[in-house]
């Protein structure tokens, strides 16, 4: 069963528009961590944000913000005032200690974001 | 730059061959993780080492093996290569705790012809 679902495969926006990426996760753990990573065309995986399961406060960091809702198992990510450099694939990932006892990451399939100038 | 280095950046080889991918973690990190990214399987966890010891195994084939050396660098060995092994292989590192963020290297793109 897929632990992390990112339903939208490709999202196109015009520069300066906001873009929100949806992530739904599945876990039986009570303590877990959620991440967003960015993979630009150059291929590397860049860490963006992290949230733990016991802190539902939503935050903003620059043009990035995230909305964590434990009740719906969702961890959505928003880029405000998108720029061409935001064009990339964005991955949501889950780290849980059960049942494996280590913090391996389970990734969603990614959202391809295309920002049109 | 995450501070994690991987060599080589690209590798082209033939079926049946064996290759070694190398990873140097960030300074001070004790844990190294290997992931495979392919078009059909997406990003999948392969194996984790912590301070030289294997800590966890994921979807790693028996033809694949890894180790972490005393200087904490790690190598992923892929043998009897098949066309389906063509993928981007990432190494990530973290300080070692259960709650750590993993920082990824630039990846090694393996093409098996």
């Amino acid at each position: 069963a897929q632990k992390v679902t990112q339903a939208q495969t490709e999202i196109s926006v015009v520069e300066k528009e906001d873009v929100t990426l949806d992530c739904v996760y599945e876990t039986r753990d009570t303590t877990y961590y959620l991440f967003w990573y960015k993979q630009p065309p150059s291929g590397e995986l860049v860490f963006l944000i992290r949230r733990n399961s016991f802190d539902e406060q939503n935050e903003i960091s620059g043009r990035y913000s995230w909305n964590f809702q434990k009740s719906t198992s969702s961890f959505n990510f928003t880029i405000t005032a998108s720029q061409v450099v935001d064009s990339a694939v964005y991955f949501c990932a889950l780290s849980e200690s059960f049942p494996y006892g280590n913090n391996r990451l389970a990734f969603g399939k990614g959202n391809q974001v295309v920002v049109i100038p | 730059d995450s501070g994690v280095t991987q060599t080589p950046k690209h590798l082209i080889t033939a079926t049946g061959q064996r290759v070694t991918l190398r990873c140097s973690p960030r300074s001070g990190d004790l844990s190294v993780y290997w992931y495979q990214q392919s078009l059909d399987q997406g990003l999948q966890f392969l194996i984790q080492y912590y301070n030289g010891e294997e800590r966890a195994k994921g979807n790693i084939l028996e033809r694949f093996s890894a180790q972490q050396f005393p200087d904490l660098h790690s190598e992923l060995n892929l043998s009897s290569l098949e066309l389906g092994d063509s993928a981007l292989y990432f190494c990530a590192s973290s300080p070692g705790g259960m709650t750590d963020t993993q920082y990824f290297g630039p990846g090694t793109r393996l093409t098996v012809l």
Side-chain angles (χ1 to χ4, degrees):
Chain A
Q2 193 167 345
K3 287 187 170 289
V4 180
T5 303
Q6 295 179 252
Q8 312 135 300
T9 51
E10 181 167 327
I11 304 164
S12 293
V13 296
V14 176
E15 199 171 18
K16 296 183 184 174
E17 287 183 343
D18 298 348
V19 54
T20 294
L21 309 179
D22 299 330
C23 173
V24 174
Y25 61 91
E26 178 186 328
T27 180
R28 289 182 287 171
D29 224 344
T30 54
T31 300
Y32 52 90
Y33 297 83
L34 294 159
F35 302 81
W36 280 95
Y37 285 85
K38 172 183 178 181
Q39 187 174 36
S42 50
E44 72 270 26
L45 272 172
V46 179
F47 165 71
L48 295 178
I49 58 173
R50 156 199 164 112
R51 170 59 67 201
N52 60 53
S53 57
F54 41 89
D55 183 358
E56 288 194 65
Q57 181 179 357
N58 295 314
E59 292 187 21
I60 297 174
S61 175
R63 295 188 298 109
Y64 299 152
S65 62
W66 47 99
N67 184 349
F68 174 44
Q69 293 196 345
K70 215 167 176 178
S71 60
T72 56
S73 297
S74 67
F75 184 50
N76 298 337
F77 174 68
T78 297
I79 304 170
T80 303
S82 60
Q83 301 174 3
V84 173
V85 291
D86 296 326
S87 296
V89 180
Y90 291 81
F91 291 95
C92 180
L94 166 70
S95 169
E96 52 187 347
S97 58
F98 178 86
Y100 302 111
N102 80 315
N103 61 331
R104 65 181 67 188
L105 292 174
F107 285 89
K109 295 213 176 284
N111 299 124
Q112 172 78 60
V113 172
V114 177
V115 180
I116 303 164
Chain B
D1 186 348
S2 67
V4 179
T5 61
Q6 288 187 249
T7 56
K9 194 167 175 61
H10 300 278
L11 200 48
I12 301 174
T13 188
T15 54
Q17 295 298 305
R18 172 189 169 95
V19 296
T20 298
L21 313 183
R22 183 188 168 102
C23 167
S24 292
R26 296 185 317 159
S27 177
D29 283 358
L30 299 179
S31 268
V32 169
Y33 309 78
W34 287 96
Y35 291 84
Q36 180 195 58
Q37 184 178 30
S38 63
L39 281 175
D40 51 348
Q41 298 291 329
L43 267 161
Q44 287 200 306
F45 168 75
L46 295 179
I47 197 165
Q48 179 199 359
Y49 278 81
Y50 173 77
N51 203 21
E53 300 287 328
E54 181 185 304
R55 175 166 272 185
K57 264 187 175 178
N59 299 320
I60 188 166
L61 299 171
E62 285 193 12
R63 301 183 284 108
F64 296 0
S65 64
Q67 54 184 329
Q68 186 179 27
F69 294 86
D71 67 352
L72 301 177
H73 91 270
S74 177
E75 292 180 357
L76 179 67
N77 301 296
L78 316 176
S79 61
S80 303
L81 285 167
E82 302 175 359
L83 295 177
D85 298 327
S86 295
L88 190 51
Y89 291 84
F90 285 107
C91 167
S93 77
S94 75
M98 289 282 295
T99 64
D100 294 338
T101 294
Q102 295 175 34
Y103 292 89
F104 284 76
T108 293
R109 184 167 295 281
L110 173 66
T111 303
V112 182
L113 301 174

